[in-house]
Amino acid sequence: MAATGGVRTACVTGGNGYIASALVKMLLQRGYAVKTTVRNPDDREKNAHLMELQALGPLEILRADLDDEGSFEDAVAGCDYAFLVAAPVNLTSEDPERDQIEPSVRGTLNVMRSCARAGTVRRVVLTSAASSVCIRPLEGDGHVLDEESWSDLEWVAAEKPPSWGYVVSKVLSEKAALRFAQEHGMSLAIACPVLTVGASPVPKVYTSVPASLSLISGDEAALAMLKGIEKSFGGVPVVDLDDLCRAEVFLAEAEAASGRYICSSFDTTVVEIAQFLADKYPQYSVNIGSGELLEKPRVRLSSAKLVKQGFEFRCKTLDEVYQGVVEYGKALGILPY
Ligand SMILES: NC(=O)c1ccc[n+]([C@@H]2O[C@H](COP(=O)([O-])OP(=O)(O)OC[C@H]3O[C@@H](n4cnc5c(N)ncnc54)[C@H](OP(=O)(O)O)[C@@H]3O)[C@@H](O)[C@H]2O)c1
């Protein structure tokens, strides 16, 4: 049964994740009833922050696993919108085909099938990544990429850049979702976020926040990830977490939204971030390490499609994006108090 009495219902998969938790919170604050999925609802440590969000509005926490066919049926039943945020993120796997690519495609289609069967879902919003857009050979400077651009899987297979399995998984999952939506007459919008920075309700974060703070935290692996982004993207495109969640809700609600949307506020570089952090937080020592770095981005990712359809990014500078992130980093234990 679809939502009644004007209350819209949204499903958010992977509710205990970094982006999904923030999205769940935003949807509740906007008056949605939310059904979210986690792999293990009995894991109190992983889900405590979700239980706290239940104070904001109607939030059901259900069990579902991307690897378990049909397990999302209850979660999407009766929903107006489905936000597919859960995804394997195994960036360092030795067998990316097994741990990243195959489960990502299969899991995406698993949830899409449940959405089709539910019969109430007006729009599916899939969270992919800009890695599906820009990992391709681009010589020189001044490139501007939009949603027409796909990462070049032949080149990726030959060169195996860092986290290449993640790139392949995002391209193939998007293409499978687009095909499925077309075949089943489903309305699908795909968000392709860049490095997402901001404070989320989750008490543990593994990827973007450690990377964004790595220049002052001394976390070498996270700094290598940040530099890896610059190398393979030709710059460091950034989006604020709150703006990304606003964009995802916009993509659900906007009648005309369809297809892929790059979600990027601006493009910067490791050197610019280091300079910004050194000026803004003189109490930390900034360690940029060694290696070749860009003076300015060679490649820019355009969110013109999203903006033309009426979306406005609120955070357009490093200063705005990093608001609250250093405090969050302290709470996460990434930075000392
Ligand atoms: N953070 C960024 O900067 C960024 C940028 C671009 C795109 N993205 C994309 O955004 C999405 C969310 O990323 P995130 O940063 O929020 O990552 P995250 O915190 O690691 O969240 C991933 C979520 O997926 C769930 N998950 C993994 N495998 C699953 C499975 N087999 N079945 C059900 N759930 C499963 C995880 O649940 P468990 O806790 O049970 O493992 C977790 O809740 C991903 O698709 C990611 O690629 C993120």
Side-chain angles (χ1 to χ4, degrees):
M1 198 177 65
T4 52
V7 175
R8 288 167 298 178
T9 305
C11 173
V12 178
T13 69
N16 56 2
Y18 168 66
I19 292 172
S21 295
L23 181 58
V24 166
K25 184 176 176 187
M26 182 174 286
L27 287 164
L28 291 170
Q29 284 169 332
R30 290 186 178 201
Y32 277 83
V34 181
K35 293 165 90 178
T36 195
T37 66
V38 296
R39 283 196 269 194
N40 181 7
D42 301 327
D43 186 335
R44 290 204 140 260
E45 203 186 312
K46 261 193 165 175
N47 301 320
H49 64 285
L50 279 179
M51 290 172 191
E52 280 172 27
L53 292 180
Q54 286 175 320
L56 297 177
L59 170 62
E60 267 185 83
I61 304 166
L62 299 138
R63 182 192 305 275
D65 192 319
L66 293 170
D67 297 334
D68 187 357
E69 180 64 30
S71 64
F72 289 85
E73 300 283 294
D74 288 349
V76 295
C79 288
D80 300 285
Y81 306 115
F83 294 90
L84 278 51
V85 192
V89 184
N90 294 312
L91 301 181
T92 52
S93 161
E94 283 177 11
D95 188 347
E97 187 64 46
R98 183 197 61 199
D99 299 332
Q100 181 65 43
I101 301 169
E102 204 270 333
S104 173
V105 176
R106 185 166 30 85
T108 303
L109 290 175
N110 180 7
V111 192
M112 298 271 303
R113 276 191 283 274
S114 292
C115 291
R117 281 193 288 267
T120 55
V121 178
R122 288 190 255 162
R123 166 107 8 103
V124 172
V125 180
L126 171 66
T127 304
S128 180
S131 300
S132 71
V133 174
C134 58
I135 312 301
R136 41 184 281 198
L138 291 165
E139 297 301 325
D141 294 343
H143 303 279
V144 179
L145 300 182
D146 64 15
E147 291 81 1
E148 296 295 310
S149 170
W150 288 92
S151 294
D152 179 342
L153 294 194
E154 270 182 35
W155 182 82
V156 168
E159 296 294 321
K160 294 204 171 30
S163 311
W164 65 270
Y166 181 78
V167 177
V168 177
S169 78
K170 293 303 184 194
V171 170
L172 296 185
S173 298
E174 281 188 38
K175 290 195 169 173
L178 287 165
R179 206 176 313 117
F180 184 93
Q182 196 176 24
E183 284 167 6
H184 293 78
M186 286 171 72
S187 180
L188 170 68
I190 301 175
C192 298
V194 295
L195 181 73
T196 306
V197 181
S200 158
V202 278
K204 273 192 188 149
V205 184
Y206 301 100
T207 51
S208 48
V209 175
S212 67
L213 291 174
S214 59
L215 287 154
I216 52 175
S217 70
D219 179 340
E220 285 180 16
L223 180 57
M225 180 189 281
L226 186 68
K227 289 180 176 176
I229 291 173
E230 176 171 285
K231 189 151 186 253
S232 47
F233 279 57
V236 183
V238 176
V239 68
D240 170 68
L241 176 61
D242 201 57
D243 275 344
L244 171 61
C245 294
R246 288 175 52 248
E248 297 227 0
V249 179
F250 176 88
L251 290 177
E253 293 176 348
E255 206 59 47
S258 177
R260 309 170 84 202
Y261 290 84
I262 294 170
C263 297
S264 176
S265 302
F266 56 88
D267 305 88
T268 183
T269 61
V270 173
V271 169
E272 274 176 7
I273 299 172
Q275 190 59 58
F276 161 75
L277 291 170
D279 293 346
K280 178 92 183 179
Y281 303 103
Q283 67 271 39
Y284 295 109
S285 60
V286 174
N287 182 2
I288 203 159
S290 57
E292 231 177 90
L293 293 167
L294 295 176
E295 275 173 34
K296 57 183 177 57
R298 295 194 303 109
V299 178
R300 293 182 188 270
L301 293 181
S302 168
S303 282
K305 181 181 174 192
L306 189 58
V307 171
K308 263 192 206 132
Q309 292 192 1
F311 181 76
E312 200 186 331
F313 289 94
R314 286 193 185 140
C315 294
K316 297 174 183 163
T317 62
L318 281 172
D319 201 21
E320 287 166 337
V321 165
Y322 271 80
Q323 290 285 337
V325 175
V326 164
E327 285 308 312
Y328 185 47
K330 288 182 194 169
L332 293 172
I334 294 173
L335 294 174
Y337 272 95

